[in-house]
């Protein structure tokens, strides 16, 4: 399958998931959202689980490449990371956070989904933990446990996701709370000017 | 309907929800889990939404009465609150956090569910915010914004819930992170000895 077709199937999967929800998602409904036939989708993905696993993998790849950047000031890295997380969640289809929440609720029944979510969490903790560690070494941040700060941020991001879906709260509100607590842990406020 | 029947229907709803999930939950399946007929359930609850709304209401009531306690040392109140949240989530049926996550994912489509989750969040923020405010006034805690600390804790609890479902992580792990960040915000570690 060409990478264009794969990209098209992934995009169609996202739209169909938002529109019909996990329980009512079918290969046919995904095909209906794209120019690829359901037979072609079936040819590459035996089951809905495999297809959704590829979908989560694709999401993870895009998130990682968005974060990949040359070694720079760790303060900029943390700010960029928060931008990537919080812009991502507001720019997608309105229903996307709901669809993703449904997949998280399915994780106990699908090892492949759980593996993808664990992987995503590791990426988040690694990016934040490394930036915090580097920032402490460079003398930009107060002394703190980088892994605990990373876990705090990762958990707050998980919380922001639930709050947007269950309470209808804007995720920006949680970003402010994360920034406030990072200021206390690191003695530095995300987004504040970094002298070149 | 007697309060015994109501209690029985609520318990049966919880079991049926854990067993079948939201999409496959029916009045008949709830009746199968109890000695009440599906006709009797239908008589009191017109729709699955109404029944689940009553179920969430009941959950909220039990959580609130668990937290209701005489005015005491705000440090004990915070510790008791964390006990209530984290014991609750580990003592229930294993699948209960998954079932609750599914209901949260349904909140965008059911105003009644959303209202219950907003109410629950207000209870959490009120209990934590009041304890923090009192503790600062009494000189037990460092100065902090009580509402921001409450929001931080509420968001971390939301995050603990997702992490237990999506990642299979023990919620105790998030409790430790909450305690570490409260220590930094308040200059006091939850669970530490309070002199009488």
């Amino acid at each position: 399958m060409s990478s264009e077709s794969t990209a098209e199937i992934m995009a169609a999967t996202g739209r169909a998931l938002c529109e019909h929800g996990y329980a009512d998602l079918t290969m046919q409904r995904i095909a209906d959202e794209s120019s690829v036939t359901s037979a072609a989708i079936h040819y590459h993905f035996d089951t809905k689980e495999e297809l959704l696993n590829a979908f989560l993998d694709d999401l993870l790849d895009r998130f990682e490449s968005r974060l990949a950047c040359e070694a720079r000031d760790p303060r900029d890295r943390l700010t960029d990371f928060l931008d990537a997380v919080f812009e991502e969640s507001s720019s997608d289809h309105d229903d996307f956070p709901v669809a993703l929440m449904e997949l998280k609720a399915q994780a106990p029944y699908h090892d492949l989904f759980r593996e993808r979510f664990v992987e995503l969490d590791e990426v988040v903790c690694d990016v934040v933990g490394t930036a915090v560690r580097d920032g402490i070494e460079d003398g930009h941040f107060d002394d703190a446990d980088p892994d605990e700060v990373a876990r705090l941020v990762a958990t707050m991001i998980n919380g922001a996701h639930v709050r947007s879906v269950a309470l209808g709260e804007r995720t920006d509100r949680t970003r402010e709370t994360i920034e406030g607590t990072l200021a206390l842990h690191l003695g530095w406020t995300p987004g504040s000017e970094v002298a070149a």
Side-chain angles (χ1 to χ4, degrees), chain A:
Chain A
M1 185 160 49
S2 70
S3 62
E4 285 81 9
S5 307
T6 310
E8 195 181 341
I9 294 175
M10 294 301 117
T13 301
R15 286 192 298 273
L17 192 60
C18 289
E19 191 168 342
H20 305 288
Y22 175 80
D24 295 328
L25 186 73
T26 60
M27 296 288 200
Q28 186 54 55
R29 284 183 162 155
I30 295 168
D32 291 347
E33 295 280 340
S34 76
S35 66
V36 182
T37 64
S38 97
I41 300 176
H42 270 292
Y43 181 78
H44 292 282
F45 302 100
D46 274 346
T47 61
K48 185 163 102 171
E49 184 183 30
E50 272 182 38
L51 175 57
L52 286 169
N53 182 48
F55 174 73
L56 289 174
D57 233 1
D58 179 60
L59 203 70
L60 190 64
D61 282 348
R62 286 189 290 126
F63 185 64
E64 281 193 272
S65 60
R66 167 97 205 248
L67 294 176
C69 55
E70 66 285 16
R72 286 180 298 112
D73 193 300
R75 293 169 292 184
D76 286 331
R77 267 185 275 150
L78 271 188
T79 301
D80 289 354
F81 167 79
L82 292 175
D83 286 346
V85 168
F86 288 99
E87 277 166 28
E88 195 71 32
S89 64
S90 63
S91 67
D92 273 292
H93 193 290
D94 277 357
D95 292 334
F96 186 72
V98 182
L100 197 61
M101 181 69 69
E102 284 199 295
L103 293 185
K104 286 182 176 176
Q106 289 297 322
Y109 313 115
H110 300 280
D111 288 345
L112 287 174
F113 298 179
R114 171 153 291 169
E115 285 166 22
R116 296 293 81 69
F117 287 122
V118 167
E119 221 175 313
L120 178 62
D121 190 62
E122 285 169 354
V123 170
V124 165
C125 287
D126 183 52
V127 169
V128 176
T130 305
V132 170
R133 195 168 284 113
D134 292 350
I136 294 170
E137 273 180 24
D138 295 353
H140 298 308
F141 300 151
D142 293 347
D143 198 24
D145 178 338
D147 296 330
E148 268 305 287
V149 174
R151 159 173 286 278
L152 176 73
V153 171
T155 307
M156 294 290 286
I157 292 169
N158 295 145
H161 182 201
V162 187
R163 297 179 71 82
S164 74
V165 173
L167 311 179
E169 186 179 270
R170 287 171 49 92
T171 55
D172 290 4
R173 190 60 195 80
T174 302
R175 180 177 183 157
E176 289 170 23
T177 305
I178 293 177
E179 292 180 348
T181 201
L182 280 180
L184 199 63
H185 283 261
L186 306 179
W188 165 83
T189 304
S192 55
E193 203 70 42
V194 174

